[in-house]
């Protein structure tokens, strides 16, 4: 893992961030052979199709194996889409298995959130399991390996064991306890289980080869002593299996056909196979793909936990977090995340995906499905001097130009409006087509107006813009055919309601927040301006969410605020105090800054 991170970091240092390109990605990842190239299969699909064709498996069973020690992040989404997606494509099934072999960091809060997130993403598992359910079976198999002379109890300290492993270039040394008899090993191991020994005083190791070129084979640790309370098994166990001993056998118990994991586990694969072979159990196989890395974010659960615990964010579901629940609260849709995961494909080499690709997938989906509304985030008052005082008229606005079925709504219009402060300049520079003194613009769905004068406060801030309107342009077009270059949004001042709007920016200010020199931390790369809160003026239809809510299974109502971006209701929102989150802007505003 660290090596991969370092590699990723280097790529960035030298300005070689691998930006997404569908063409490069496919040739790079899959290197498919003739027939499959046309069908665009990734390497996992090729393997599965071959296995099905050759009768290696009648049907496939994959699994998603999270450790319940944190909330799921977008990297996990990739793994979920892959495991569930492959099974779905080939008529197979997927299990959810909690890899809960490390009692210290695990918690039921995480177990619950993981299930919620998988469901939200649109997937359901065939069976739900816990690695801890297999503790008894794993223990019995460990005794079996002892009986076969393939495992022994080692009394060395962890430091001594580490020392004795040797290095990549030098062989390791046999432990002085390596040649214990089967009887002695069995007795010791049983007493380990019975709780007779202190933490760290003994381990069970596989007896393989201390000079093996693959370090994983130098008598790997299978069990350690840990007098710790487990969130499911309580105090029943005081020895816990290591990942390498637990994972493959858990796959095998469930008859997983294709055990898909990230690249850093490729050196573990021979050991995965070794245990299965020696135990003569169902031959699950492991396949590795490149983990998802995205720029401008961190994705290790340890670091995400630190952000939460030390209050750099409001929680795991802070809308700036790269967690699935963070993206959900931010207003992302499951469809957009699935589309993103599809689009990046399955790589065999580590790379870094540009954050903007995620936003691209998001906009592509939201554009099709959300209704448009008008809200002014930074309001300045407009008075139309020649509009009759006290008059209100209802104008017709299109809800979603991408979906006729969404129909239209009525928007109140009158003499006093709010517009965006940035949509007015007293003197328009070249190419500024919005409102300026003497420059005619269209108010969306309403009329052509021309600014005539402004009022200012003592500091010189504009407090009010006086305009005139042309009654003949009702609906937004001039009967004489004259054109305007700018169209701006607005809300009627007496009808508007106030809402808190949270504007988010990237949580980190640099592309590779993890890439820090010794003595520094990724926390120094946090973006100090990642959250801005404003009070917006909203059109009345934004208060009527009941009609819209049925469309969204997750209860989050999403909109496009015309010209301002995509927004959604936040869970803090109440009728008395509405709160909207900005999901993203309409265009990639970041690309311009870079
Ligand atoms: P982290 O390093 O963030 O703690 P992890 O790999 O320890 O992640 P697990 O809960 O063990 O987290 O992961 C569950 C599954 O998700 C594993 O199969 C793992 O390979 C996969 N996974 C985790 N992170 C990524 C990622 N960035 N891209 C793709 N798959 C991932
Ligand atoms: Mg893990």
């Amino acid at each position: 893992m660290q090596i991969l991170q370092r590699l990723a970091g280097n790529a960035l240092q030298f300005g070689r961030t691998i930006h997404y390109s569908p063409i490069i990605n496919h040739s790079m990842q899959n290197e498919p052979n003739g027939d499959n190239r046309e069908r665009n299969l990734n390497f996992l699909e090729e393997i599965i199709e071959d296995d099905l064709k050759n009768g290696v498996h009648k049907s496939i069973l994959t699994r998603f194996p999270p450790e319940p020690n944190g909330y799921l992040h977008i990297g996990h989404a990739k793994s979920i889409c892959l495991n569930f997606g492959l099974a779905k494509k080939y008529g197979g099934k997927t299990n959810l298995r909690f890899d809960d072999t490390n009692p210290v960091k695990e918690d039921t809060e995480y177990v619950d959130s993981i299930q919620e997130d998988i469901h939200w993403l649109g997937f359901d598992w065939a069976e739900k399991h816990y690695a801890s359910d297999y503790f008894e079976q794993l223990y019995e198999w460990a005794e079996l390996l002892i009986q076969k002379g393939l495992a022994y109890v080692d009394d060395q300290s962890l430091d001594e064991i580490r020392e004795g492993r040797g290095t990549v270039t030098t062989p390791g040394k046999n432990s002085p306890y390596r040649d214990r008899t089967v009887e002695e090993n069995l007795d010791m191991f049983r007493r380990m289980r019975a709780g007779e020994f202190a933490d760290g005083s003994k381990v069970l190791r596989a007896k393989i080869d201390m000079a093996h070129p693959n370090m994983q084979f130098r008598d790997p640790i299978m069990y350690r002593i840990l007098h710790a309370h487990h969130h499911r098994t309580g105090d029943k166990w005081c020895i816990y299996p290591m990942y390498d001993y637990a994972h493959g056998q858990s796959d095998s118990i469930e008859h997983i056909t294709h055990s898909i994991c990230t690249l850093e586990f490729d050196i573990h694969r021979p050991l995965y196979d070794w245990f299965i072979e020696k135990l003569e159990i169902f031959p699950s196989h492991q396949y590795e793909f490149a983990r998802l890395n995205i720029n401008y974010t961190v994705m290790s659960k340890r670091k995400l936990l630190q952000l939460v615990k030390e209050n750099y964010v409001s929680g795991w579901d802070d809308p700036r977090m790269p967690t699935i629940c963070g993206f959900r609260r931010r207003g992302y849709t499951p469809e957009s995340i699935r589309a993103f995961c599809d689009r990046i494909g399955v790589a065999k080499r580590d790379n870094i995906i540009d954050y903007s690709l995620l936003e691209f997938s998001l906009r592509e989906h939201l554009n099709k499905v959300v209704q448009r509304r008008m809200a002014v985030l930074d309001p300045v008052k407009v008075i139309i001097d020649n509009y009759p005082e006290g008059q209100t008229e209802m104008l017709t606005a299109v809800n979603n130009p991408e979906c006729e079925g969404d129909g239209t709504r009525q928007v109140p219009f009158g003499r006093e409006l709010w517009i965006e402060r940035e949509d007015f300049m007293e003197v328009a520079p070249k190419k500024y087509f919005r409102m300026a003194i003497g420059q005619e613009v269209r108010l969306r769905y309403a009329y052509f107006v021309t600014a005539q004068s402004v009022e200012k406060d003592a500091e010189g801030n504009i407090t009010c813009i006086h305009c005139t309107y042309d009654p003949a342009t009702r609906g937004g077009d001039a009967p004489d055919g004259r054109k305007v270059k700018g169209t701006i949004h607005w809300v009627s001042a007496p009808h508007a309601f106030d809402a808190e709007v949270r504007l988010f920016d990237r949580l980190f200010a640099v592309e590779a927040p993890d890439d820090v020199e010794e003595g520094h931390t990724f926390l120094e790369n946090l973006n100090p301006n990642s959250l801005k809160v404003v009070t917006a003026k909203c059109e009345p239809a934004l208060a009527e969410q009941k009609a819209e809510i049925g469309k969204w299974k997750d209860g989050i109502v999403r909109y496009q605020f015309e010209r301002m971006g995509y927004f959604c209701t936040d869970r803090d929102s109440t009728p008395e105090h509405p709160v909207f989150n900005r999901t993203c802007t309409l265009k990639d505003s970041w690309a311009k800054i870079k």
Side-chain angles (χ1 to χ4, degrees):
M1 182 59 219
Q2 262 166 356
I3 296 169
L4 292 179
Q5 267 174 353
R6 235 179 294 130
L7 277 178
N10 285 345
L12 286 171
Q13 262 170 8
F14 296 109
R16 285 193 288 113
T17 309
I18 302 166
H19 293 273
Y20 167 77
S21 144
I23 299 155
I24 293 173
N25 254 15
H26 280 298
S27 56
M28 199 171 72
Q29 290 155 11
N30 308 332
E31 287 136 26
N33 47 37
D35 184 30
N36 287 340
R37 188 178 298 128
E38 267 148 49
R39 298 178 48 218
N40 237 333
L41 296 182
N42 66 47
F43 75 95
L44 291 168
E45 292 167 336
E46 285 186 20
I47 290 166
I48 290 171
E49 291 202 1
D50 280 350
D51 284 353
L52 290 172
K53 198 169 68 197
N54 301 332
V56 179
H57 301 291
K58 278 207 199 70
S59 63
I60 70 159
L61 181 61
T62 60
R63 90 287 172 262
F64 174 63
E67 183 178 354
N69 62 351
Y71 282 64
L72 297 181
H73 52 60
I74 186 79
H76 294 115
K78 173 71 214 176
S79 175
I80 292 168
C81 290
L82 192 57
N83 279 296
F84 285 90
L86 284 171
K88 197 167 168 202
K89 178 166 180 179
Y90 294 103
K93 288 180 178 160
T94 306
N95 287 353
L96 168 62
R97 181 169 71 241
F98 290 104
D99 187 8
D100 56 351
T101 54
N102 181 3
V104 188
K105 293 182 182 159
E106 295 164 1
D107 199 275
T108 44
E109 174 195 349
Y110 303 133
V111 169
D112 295 341
S113 75
I114 287 169
Q115 299 183 68
E116 186 185 349
D117 289 349
I118 298 172
H119 278 146
W120 178 76
L121 275 176
F123 299 107
D124 202 3
W125 45 89
E127 289 171 15
K128 178 170 78 182
H129 294 291
Y130 295 83
S132 55
D133 288 344
Y134 307 139
F135 280 171
E136 194 63 50
Q137 174 68 78
L138 292 171
Y139 176 85
E140 280 171 29
W141 280 337
E143 285 207 355
L144 186 66
L145 289 175
I146 293 174
Q147 270 151 354
K148 289 186 171 194
L150 293 172
Y152 63 98
V153 173
D154 193 345
D155 297 2
Q156 292 182 107
S157 69
L158 284 181
D159 281 341
E160 286 166 331
I161 290 175
R162 203 172 301 125
E163 195 111 313
R165 280 183 82 211
T167 67
V168 187
T169 46
T170 54
K173 281 197 310 274
N174 283 358
S175 161
Y177 303 95
R178 199 172 195 264
D179 295 319
R180 279 182 161 150
T181 62
V182 168
E183 289 66 35
E184 195 183 353
N185 279 318
L186 268 183
D187 175 57
M188 288 279 182
F189 188 49
R190 285 173 187 163
R191 287 164 57 195
M192 274 170 68
R193 176 180 183 167
E196 285 187 31
F197 307 116
D199 288 3
S201 61
K202 289 185 176 15
V203 293
L204 183 73
R205 296 178 76 177
K207 190 170 176 178
I208 310 180
D209 179 0
M210 288 305 290
H212 202 285
N214 181 340
M215 301 279 289
Q216 308 293 324
F217 275 94
R218 296 188 186 173
D219 294 8
I221 298 176
M222 293 165 58
Y223 274 90
R224 66 216 156 117
I225 302 173
L226 203 61
H227 292 265
H229 188 83
H230 186 280
H231 70 104
R232 293 192 78 241
T233 56
D235 297 316
K236 182 169 180 213
W237 294 88
C238 61
I239 55 171
Y240 289 95
M242 304 298 288
Y243 173 89
D244 281 320
Y245 180 67
H247 202 88
Q249 282 78 286
S250 301
D251 284 342
S252 179
I253 291 170
E254 293 173 24
H255 287 208
I256 301 297
T257 56
H258 298 80
S259 175
I260 299 160
C261 64
T262 43
L263 225 48
E264 66 271 24
F265 288 99
D266 67 342
I267 45 169
H268 297 248
R269 188 185 344 104
L271 186 57
Y272 179 108
D273 293 339
W274 188 88
F275 281 123
I276 284 179
E277 188 196 311
K278 298 299 174 202
L279 291 167
E280 300 174 57
I281 54 181
F282 180 86
S284 295
H285 283 291
Q286 177 188 299
Y287 303 92
E288 307 89 20
F289 73 104
R291 69 193 291 121
L292 168 62
N293 299 301
I294 301 183
N295 57 7
Y296 293 102
T297 191
V298 297
M299 249 193 292
S300 114
K301 276 183 278 189
R302 187 176 55 77
K303 289 182 180 155
L304 297 177
L305 179 66
Q306 193 179 352
L307 291 173
V308 174
K309 284 259 155 82
E310 296 175 14
N311 296 316
Y312 291 99
V313 294
S314 64
W316 284 99
D317 72 345
D318 186 301
R320 294 164 295 177
M321 288 281 272
T323 50
I324 295 180
C325 55
F327 281 115
R328 174 166 67 231
R329 189 169 173 193
R330 177 85 173 245
Y332 274 70
T333 57
E335 290 88 341
S336 60
I337 293 180
R338 292 200 304 262
F340 168 75
C341 291
D342 263 2
R343 194 167 259 137
I344 56 179
V346 187
K348 266 185 177 172
R349 254 179 274 165
D350 218 40
N351 62 16
I352 297 159
I353 302 293
D354 203 303
Y355 196 97
S356 56
L357 183 66
L358 187 54
E359 294 191 328
F360 175 82
S361 302
L362 174 69
R363 291 190 189 101
E364 192 180 49
H365 183 231
L366 290 179
N367 180 46
K368 280 189 237 145
V369 296
V370 301
Q371 295 210 355
R372 275 58 169 169
R373 295 288 185 267
M374 290 198 285
V376 175
L377 303 188
D378 181 14
V380 62
K381 179 69 76 64
V382 165
I383 297 179
I384 303 172
D385 290 320
N386 62 338
Y387 191 88
E389 245 170 281
Q391 176 176 306
T392 300
E393 60 185 311
M394 300 306 280
L395 299 171
T396 302
V398 175
N399 281 331
N400 181 358
E402 304 290 321
C403 176
E404 235 174 80
D406 274 352
T408 59
R409 69 185 186 286
Q410 298 296 300
V411 187
F413 182 86
R415 186 178 146 93
E416 290 198 19
L417 313 171
W418 297 109
I419 66 162
E420 236 33 90
R421 198 166 275 278
E422 63 170 24
D423 281 340
F424 176 79
M425 290 181 88
E426 286 189 80
V427 183
K430 235 178 138 186
K431 296 209 173 150
Y432 185 85
F433 299 123
R434 294 176 253 172
M435 189 184 279
I437 302 286
Q439 179 161 288
E440 193 169 49
V441 290
R442 176 188 293 110
L443 294 177
R444 185 102 162 114
Y445 308 116
Y447 293 98
F448 286 7
V449 292
T450 310
Q452 305 296 345
S453 63
V454 294
E455 288 175 38
K456 292 183 183 176
D457 64 13
E459 278 95 56
N461 300 311
I462 294 171
T463 53
C464 180
I465 304 160
H466 288 274
C467 291
T468 52
Y469 86 120
D470 176 359
T473 56
R474 191 176 197 272
D477 281 306
D480 64 4
R482 79 179 187 280
K483 299 280 180 227
V484 287
K485 284 205 168 133
T487 299
I488 63 174
H489 65 279
W490 51 274
V491 294
S492 164
H495 299 93
F497 70 91
D498 284 356
E500 177 180 332
V501 174
R502 299 174 183 168
L503 305 171
F504 303 105
D505 201 344
R506 305 203 165 160
L507 189 52
F508 291 95
V510 301
E511 279 212 24
D514 280 324
D515 203 12
V516 288
E517 314 244 300
E518 285 254 347
H520 292 266
T521 117
F522 75 104
L523 296 168
E524 293 164 47
N525 290 326
L526 280 163
N527 174 5
N529 305 312
S530 60
L531 171 62
K532 190 174 152 199
V533 179
V534 299
T535 303
K537 302 286 182 189
C538 303
E539 68 160 287
L542 270 171
E544 299 152 17
Q545 282 150 20
K546 282 203 195 77
E548 270 290 277
I549 203 159
K551 189 160 108 188
W552 304 100
K553 277 193 232 152
D554 55 14
I556 298 169
V557 185
R558 296 157 175 93
Y559 297 104
Q560 185 191 104
F561 289 1
E562 294 209 27
R563 300 179 62 233
M564 303 314 286
Y566 294 100
F567 291 75
C568 70
T569 52
D570 187 79
R571 65 172 167 76
D572 289 343
S573 194
T574 62
E576 298 73 40
H577 184 84
V579 181
F580 293 100
N581 294 327
R582 183 167 67 195
T583 312
C584 70
T585 53
L586 288 185
K587 284 195 211 104
D588 188 354
S589 51
W590 198 266
K592 272 183 288 176
I593 299 166
K594 268 205 287 183

